[in-house]
Amino acid sequence: MGAPFAALVCASCVVVILSWLLKYVKLVWLEPKKLERLLKDQGIKGSPYKFLMGDLRDNDRLMSEAWSRPIPLTHDIVPRVAPHFDQLVKTHVLLAVSVLVFMEF
């Protein structure tokens, strides 16, 4: 009686672990890729999905570049304070403007 019970417990553990693994894969890979495809179908271009890290490395690189240059004597501080956002606005002007307008109301 002990062997069939142990096999049943092992099989149920395997099923639980596989279901968790499938949920994790769906959360971190399938859903973002689906969203990327849907946005591309609507004509919204952007940077491709990068597993887990996203644009953090690019953001760090842009921040270090921005902080290495001297501060210009203008009121335009966005390239210094938020260089990643500044690059996104320059690349995707209409999308960024529409998001900003939506967020203000």
Side-chain angles (χ1 to χ4, degrees):
M1 179 147 170
F5 180 72
L8 182 64
V9 169
C10 287
S12 61
C13 287
V14 167
V15 168
V16 169
I17 290 171
L18 283 177
S19 68
W20 286 346
L21 183 64
L22 288 174
K23 286 180 184 179
Y24 180 75
V25 167
K26 182 180 177 187
L27 177 70
V28 299
W29 185 255
L30 297 176
E31 289 293 324
K33 291 304 267 184
K34 178 182 174 184
L35 181 61
E36 180 182 19
R37 189 184 73 244
L38 290 173
L39 291 172
K40 189 179 283 187
D41 290 345
Q42 293 178 13
I44 300 173
K45 299 175 184 170
S47 58
Y49 174 68
K50 297 174 188 163
F51 184 67
L52 292 182
M53 291 298 287
D55 291 335
L56 289 177
R57 290 187 184 134
D58 294 337
N59 195 11
D60 287 342
R61 180 183 51 81
L62 289 170
M63 279 297 264
S64 63
E65 287 176 9
W67 283 88
S68 68
R69 294 189 305 263
I71 299 175
L73 296 176
T74 64
H75 292 289
D76 186 20
I77 63 166
V78 175
R80 173 88 173 179
V81 176
H84 192 252
F85 181 73
D86 186 50
Q87 182 187 17
L88 286 174
V89 169
K90 289 178 182 174
T91 307
H92 312 287
V93 175
L94 294 176
L95 178 63
V97 169
S98 65
V99 169
L100 286 176
V101 169
F102 178 72
M103 288 174 58
E104 288 182 13
F105 292 106

